């Protein structure tokens, strides 16, 4: 039995997959402690893991992402803001909490498993003093963000290019991203780690995680572009299987889904769902006169306006039940949701540029399984055209089905458990 400590950034898209992983590790007999935001205490304890709350700057609440100052920003500028306020500023408090848990076991007794923007392990990876873990694992719950000579930097949403000219472009853009676009976040990161006692040169903050013993990316390689310089520590392990809907009740109109010839689902995810005028309402308007059933999964109790006759609305429907009947998913492109859709072979229309979506949506569209509208507030006309293209052009479905087969060949839970066992045997 291994002792595993899992620090998690306190936002749903990071917490949900790590809780699923924790539950599987506990099922296999491991002792798991989870450190995350105080609002997730009940969810953590339901897994059987021990709960420890972050404090101070690390215990921020997901609703803070709706701050008007933040929402006024877009694309890389918003990511730079997020990195500073929610991630880098939280490192000292996160490191204290992690050290307190490691001290209960002592050096080389526990394994630490962070998620891709879980910078709580960065001080340790860069020589800061403190109790050492037996091993450090990173699980990629967002699109792979590390730099590559074959791709433009994370956050720009540009096509990969491994030609001689493309590599020269990539090198220049990676420098620009580190020193200018994310320059403020990088300077703060260097200052924070130095204050915590890090030694040696501190790398680009999005590259720091590759110093972990193992980086397990929740996707298939195509979603990260082919890279000639991929670190040996990085492995692609597929998508976490969508759990069965044990307690969820299907809506009273579920028979409409089963009888429909074509079903289009629209969602704005779990964070950017405060204003349905961005995507859900324009989609309902766009498809109102088409012979399709439109399902709006809102993720909140907010009211949806002007619901047409061919639409149904629910605040929650289990995707494990809905996706097998879905012909097109219209989504803002949250990483977990797109992984689910691809694992079911469902093609998409993507409309989101916040958080990691500008990058994730570009990569998903590059596979040929989706159309990227490159905005978070598309017009009904743009949505209608894109949905009709996906419905009527067989290559979108074919590419989604191809990726479904790739996901089906991978077993992420076993891959994670095997790495835990390898580190514990050291």
């Amino acid at each position: 039995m291994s002792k595993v400590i899992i620090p998690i950034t306190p936002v749903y898209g990071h917490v949900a997959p790590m809780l699923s992983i924790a539950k599987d590790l506990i099922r296999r007999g491991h002792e798991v402690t989870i450190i995350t935001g105080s609002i997730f205490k009940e969810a953590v304890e339901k897994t059987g893991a021990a709960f420890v709350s972050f404090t101070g700057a690390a215990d921020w609440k997901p609703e803070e992402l709706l701050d008007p100052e933040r929402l006024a920003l877009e694309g890389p500028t918003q990511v730079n803001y997020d990195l500073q306020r929610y991630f880098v500023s939280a490192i000292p408090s996160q490191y204290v909490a992690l050290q307190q848990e490691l001290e209960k076991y002592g050096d080389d007794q526990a394994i630490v498993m962070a998620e891709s923007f879980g910078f709580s392990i960065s001080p340790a990876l860069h020589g800061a003093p403190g109790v050492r873990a037996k091993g450090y694992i990173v699980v990629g719950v967002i699109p792979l963000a590390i730099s590559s000579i074959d791709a433009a930097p994370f956050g720009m949403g540009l096509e990969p290019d491994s030609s001689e000219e493309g590599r020269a472009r990539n090198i220049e853009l990676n420098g620009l991203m580190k020193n200018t676009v994310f320059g403020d976040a990088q300077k703060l990161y260097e200052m924070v780690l130095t204050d915590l006692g890090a030694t040696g040169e501190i790398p680009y903050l999005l590259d720091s995680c590759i110093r972990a013993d193992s980086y397990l990316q929740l996707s298939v390689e195509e979603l990260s572009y082919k890279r000639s310089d991929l670190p040996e520590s990085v492995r692609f392990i597929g998508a976490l299987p969508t759990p069965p809907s044990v307690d969820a009740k299907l809506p009273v109109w579920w028979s409409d889904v089963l009888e429909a010839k074509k079903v289009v689902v629209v969602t704005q995810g779990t964070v950017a769902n405060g204003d349905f005028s961005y995507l859900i309402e324009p989609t309902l308007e766009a498809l109102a006169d088409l012979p399709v059933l439109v399902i709006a999964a809102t993720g909140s109790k907010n009211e949806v306006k002007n619901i047409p006759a061919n639409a149904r609305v629910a605040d929650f429907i289990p995707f494990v039940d809905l996706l097998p009947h879905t012909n097109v998913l219209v989504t803002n492109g949250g990483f977990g949701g797109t992984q689910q859709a691809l694992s079911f072979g469902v093609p998409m229309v993507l409309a989101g540029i916040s958080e990691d979506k500008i990058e994730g949506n570009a990569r998903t569209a590059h596979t040929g399984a989706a159309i990227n509208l490159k905005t978070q507030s598309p017009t009904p006309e743009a949505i209608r055209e894109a949905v009709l293209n996906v419905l009527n052009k067989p290559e979108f479905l074919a590419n989604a089905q191809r990726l479904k087969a790739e996901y089906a060949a991978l077993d992420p839970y076993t891959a994670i458990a095997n790495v835990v066992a390898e580190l514990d045997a050291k």
Side-chain angles (χ1 to χ4, degrees), residues 320-352:
V320 69
D321 296 308
L322 187 56
L323 288 176
H325 305 284
T326 301
N327 298 97
V328 182
L329 175 64
V330 181
T331 173
N332 62 349
F335 189 65
T338 58
Q339 297 289 294
Q340 279 185 310
L342 291 174
S343 68
F344 278 89
V346 177
M348 286 168 279
V349 172
L350 304 167

Side-chain angles (χ1 to χ4, degrees), residues 10 54-60 64 85-87 89-94:
F54 282 134
T55 59
D59 189 24
W60 55 273
E64 294 180 33
R85 177 169 174 178
Y86 304 113
F87 295 95
S89 295
I91 292 174
S93 298
Q94 290 178 338

Side-chain angles (χ1 to χ4, degrees), residues 133-154:
K134 195 169 190 177
Y136 294 91
I137 302 169
V138 175
V139 177
V141 300
I142 66 167
L144 186 67
I146 62 176
S147 305
S148 172
I149 196 172
D150 296 318
F154 176 86

Side-chain angles (χ1 to χ4, degrees), residues 77-375:
T77 304
Q78 187 186 75
V79 176
N80 181 54
Y81 177 92
D82 290 349
L83 284 170
Q84 294 177 78
R85 177 169 174 178
Y86 304 113
F87 295 95
V88 179
S89 295
I91 292 174
S93 298
Q94 290 178 338
Y95 192 55
V96 167
L98 180 56
Q99 280 294 301
Q100 289 173 343
E101 290 309 303
L102 284 168
E103 285 170 0
K104 295 177 181 179
Y105 303 109
D107 283 321
D108 299 322
Q109 297 302 308
I111 293 166
V112 175
M113 181 183 299
E115 34 83 18
S116 33
F117 266 27
F119 292 114
S120 58
I121 65 173
S122 290
L125 296 180
H126 297 93
V131 183
R132 315 304 293 178
K134 195 169 190 177
Y136 294 91
I137 302 169
V138 175
V139 177
V141 300
I142 66 167
L144 186 67
I146 62 176
S147 305
S148 172
I149 196 172
D150 296 318
F154 176 86
M156 300 194 76
L158 298 178
E159 293 281 304
D161 189 344
S162 59
S163 67
E164 184 176 346
E165 297 80 6
R167 287 182 168 181
R169 177 209 70 169
N170 297 335
I171 292 171
E172 180 180 357
L173 290 178
N174 274 296
L176 176 68
M177 189 64 77
K178 174 183 176 180
N179 299 313
T180 304
V181 180
F182 292 166
D184 291 337
Q186 178 67 22
K187 290 175 185 176
L188 181 61
Y189 183 68
E190 293 172 4
M191 182 182 73
V192 166
L193 290 197
T194 299
D195 289 346
L196 290 171
T199 59
E201 183 179 357
I202 296 172
Y204 181 37
L205 79 168
L206 298 186
D207 291 339
S208 293
C209 55
I210 61 175
R211 294 194 179 186
D213 295 284
S214 187
Y215 191 109
L216 304 175
Q217 178 64 35
L218 287 173
S219 67
V220 294
E221 186 173 10
E222 191 173 347
L223 268 292
S224 297
Y225 305 136
K226 295 286 186 179
R227 301 162 182 244
S228 62
D229 53 356
L230 187 72
E232 291 184 3
S233 61
V234 178
R235 291 171 52 198
F236 298 94
I237 61 172
L240 296 176
T242 306
S245 53
V246 177
D247 300 321
K249 293 183 179 179
L250 294 172
V252 295
W253 41 258
W254 184 248
S255 60
D256 295 344
V257 176
L258 301 180
E259 295 167 4
K261 292 183 178 179
K262 297 289 183 181
V263 175
V264 177
V265 175
V266 58
T267 177
Q268 287 182 204
T270 56
V271 174
N273 59 9
D275 185 350
F276 296 142
S277 67
Y278 282 119
L279 186 57
I280 286 180
E281 289 170 351
T283 300
L284 298 183
E285 178 184 345
L287 308 181
D289 64 340
L290 293 182
V292 299
L293 178 66
V294 185
I295 308 299
T298 64
S300 79
K301 298 292 186 180
N302 294 347
E303 180 185 359
V304 178
K305 300 174 184 176
N306 302 320
I307 303 171
N310 70 334
R312 307 288 183 270
V313 177
D315 57 353
F316 175 74
I317 304 177
F319 266 27
V320 69
D321 296 308
L322 187 56
L323 288 176
H325 305 284
T326 301
N327 298 97
V328 182
L329 175 64
V330 181
T331 173
N332 62 349
F335 189 65
T338 58
Q339 297 289 294
Q340 279 185 310
L342 291 174
S343 68
F344 278 89
V346 177
M348 286 168 279
V349 172
L350 304 167
I353 57 174
S354 61
E355 295 94 33
D356 57 355
K357 297 178 182 68
I358 190 171
E359 189 66 39
N361 289 351
R363 296 182 186 187
T364 304
H366 187 71
T367 69
I371 291 175
N372 182 15
L373 297 179
K374 302 180 181 180
T375 177

Side-chain angles (χ1 to χ4, degrees), residues 4-23:
V4 184
I5 301 171
I6 305 179
I8 315 174
T9 303
V11 65
Y12 181 82
H14 294 238
V15 171
M18 298 306 288
L19 292 190
S20 296
I21 291 167
K23 191 173 182 179

